[in-house]
Amino acid sequence: MGKPTGFMEYARRDRRYEPASDRVAHYKEFVLPLTDVELREQGARCMDCGIPYCHQGCPVNNIIPDWNDLVYQDDWRGAIEILHSTNNFPEFTGRICPAPCETSCTLNLDDVPVAIKTIECAIVDRAWQEGWIKPQVPARRTGKHIAVVGSGPAGMAAAQQLARGGHRVSLFEKADRIGGLLRYGIPDFKLGKTLIDRRMAQMRTEGVEFHTNAHVGVDIPVARLRGEYDAVVLAGGSEKPRDLQAPGREHAGIHFAMDFLTRNSKRVQGGFVPDDEFISAEGKHVIVIGGGDTGSDCIGTSNRHGAKSVTQIEILDKPPIHEDKGLTWPDWPNRLRTSSSQEEGCERLWNVTTKSFSGDANGRVSALEYALVRWEKGADGRWAMHEVPDSDGVLQADLVLLAMGFVHPVHEGMIEELRASAGLELDARGNVKGSTQGADAYHTSVEGVFCAGDMRRGQSLVVWAIREGRQCARAVDLWLMGCSDLPS
């Protein structure tokens, strides 16, 4: 490395946020970037650790030490070339990835990892600003035409890689705009949508055709795609939400988190959402059930609506503030994390199970009845939940948002049609199953039909979706052409 002693000379510094009182008044990004001098110092902190465990932590295998060093050397153009060699959309991951690479950083043994995510974001933002990012138009076309269904990060990555391989690519999206959950599921204050738009412009020049309001399996039969295209990639995500079966679930005012988030995002982005369909948290006591990223997004959005109170409940134990590094490093640890949305204001409760909901005379939810639980490991090694006696309680609730994750892809429509007509196989969790292992893991049981992202692996991270899309593109290219120069 260019500065072998940098990790001893410079303290870890990371991006800061606008004050919570300011940022809850708008939906714009609120992260305050580091200066170039600060970024060079952070790049210098990347130590010569011998084994870069950050590679293990990063699903797309970013070559992190190399571009950290290039930033320290003030070679930003070289840094973006290295970064783009493994990641199609670092402006997405640099904003919304939880940074497992930093967890795996050797310096994280002392809780001061290199600010990898911040450096990554700065590299790509600088590259766009300088005009270094150009379309990569292939020198020749193969004459093959591929349909990609779903325009989230997996579909976008697969489409871009295939277009760069010389194939004609048609990307189908059921919504009115491209981006999948990047567009409407992730709030604008975490990811500005102009980032998606400029990538679309790049991809369009490279040979990707975008089709919106095109719901494959509903508006467009899958059989038509299989007949008209040389290959089909399924990248529709995992969108079947986990429901909560409790008495009173039918009351008005209890919604899945994504219904709340997508309708809000459409309005923020200038789309039309009728008042009777919009879900507002203004002046309400909001309960968010689920402690993950989606739950945090509900908190941040509710605060921006002007909620009277926001309470987030989680059925699991409260994680420890500090993990035991000897047991967890370099893997992702279970420890207490506080998101920017949680910092803006909410009460967090653990070991809480929902017993039932109560409603008012108009059939709207008014309260959530709960009990406390404890988790104990049985003789078989499995954890079991036990309700704590006499621990019942009541929370006032005008709006309840279910953010308990997703169980598998939506089967109705496209998947059901493929199962009935072509014998598409699913795995035990209801995801689309790959035929074998390796590159063929992306080839489904239906000839010429491939699958990538959450639809294949289950609910996961954006960075995993990008990796899946890239590897699936290589598998398609290999199947069509007999060989492939596309990186995986």
Side-chain angles (χ1 to χ4, degrees), residues 295-435:
S296 287
D297 293 342
C298 289
I299 294 168
T301 302
S302 296
N303 283 327
R304 283 159 178 76
H305 282 192
K308 187 173 293 184
S309 70
V310 182
T311 304
Q312 184 179 36
I313 63 176
E314 170 62 70
I315 199 169
L316 299 176
D317 295 332
K318 183 178 181 179
I321 296 177
H322 298 291
E323 70 272 26
D324 185 337
K325 295 293 174 61
L327 296 176
T328 62
W329 183 87
D331 297 324
W332 184 258
N334 177 36
R335 66 173 177 81
L336 183 64
R337 295 174 173 85
T338 301
S339 70
S340 60
S341 291
Q342 290 164 337
E343 290 174 349
E344 292 164 3
C346 78
E347 183 179 6
R348 303 172 70 182
L349 304 176
W350 285 269
N351 297 104
V352 173
T353 184
T354 302
K355 302 274 288 190
S356 62
F357 299 100
S358 298
D360 60 20
N362 296 318
R364 292 196 60 83
V365 67
S366 59
L368 180 151
E369 292 83 33
Y370 69 89
L372 299 180
V373 299
R374 65 173 181 268
W375 293 86
E376 297 177 351
K377 185 179 289 188
D380 59 357
R382 296 183 178 182
W383 289 94
M385 184 183 76
H386 302 279
E387 191 172 313
V388 177
D390 303 318
S391 64
D392 292 1
V394 178
L395 294 171
Q396 186 174 353
D398 305 313
L399 175 63
V400 177
L401 301 172
L402 307 180
M404 302 179 295
F406 304 88
V407 292
H408 53 63
V410 174
H411 292 167
E412 295 80 7
M414 179 176 69
I415 290 179
E416 283 187 349
E417 181 186 339
L418 277 171
R419 293 188 73 189
S421 64
L424 179 71
E425 294 182 9
L426 306 181
D427 66 17
R429 296 180 298 159
N431 301 314
V432 177
K433 184 179 180 181
S435 58

Side-chain angles (χ1 to χ4, degrees), residues 163-184:
R164 289 175 175 178
H167 306 299
R168 182 183 171 193
V169 181
S170 292
L171 184 58
F172 294 86
E173 169 57 50
K174 65 182 178 182
D176 60 343
R177 301 179 72 181
I178 294 294
L181 291 186
L182 288 174
R183 175 70 67 178
Y184 289 135

Side-chain angles (χ1 to χ4, degrees), residues 212-227:
T212 56
N213 295 308
H215 197 168
V216 176
V218 177
D219 304 321
I220 303 171
V222 186
R224 174 182 149 191
L225 298 188
R226 294 186 64 207

Side-chain angles (χ1 to χ4, degrees), residues 458-478:
Q459 176 188 346
S460 191
L461 305 173
V462 167
V463 67
W464 270 108
I466 295 173
R467 168 186 170 140
E468 291 260 317
R470 288 171 61 89
Q471 292 188 340
C472 181
R474 180 178 172 84
V476 173
D477 191 41
L478 186 62

Side-chain angles (χ1 to χ4, degrees), residues 188-246:
D188 290 55
F189 57 79
K190 287 178 64 175
L191 180 72
K193 308 314 173 186
T194 56
L195 304 177
I196 304 173
D197 296 337
R198 66 187 181 188
R199 279 296 179 185
M200 287 176 59
Q202 180 193 37
M203 293 169 63
R204 189 174 284 113
T205 303
E206 292 170 342
V208 178
E209 303 168 4
F210 297 102
H211 303 272
T212 56
N213 295 308
H215 197 168
V216 176
V218 177
D219 304 321
I220 303 171
V222 186
R224 174 182 149 191
L225 298 188
R226 294 186 64 207
E228 295 180 0
Y229 294 84
D230 296 290
V232 177
V233 175
L234 311 181
S238 179
E239 294 187 323
K240 185 71 172 180
R242 180 174 284 107
D243 207 346
L244 178 62
Q245 300 302 326

Side-chain angles (χ1 to χ4, degrees), residues 53 103-109 324-331:
Y53 286 99
T103 296
S104 297
C105 177
T106 301
L107 288 175
N108 191 42
L109 286 167
D324 185 337
K325 295 293 174 61
L327 296 176
T328 62
W329 183 87
D331 297 324

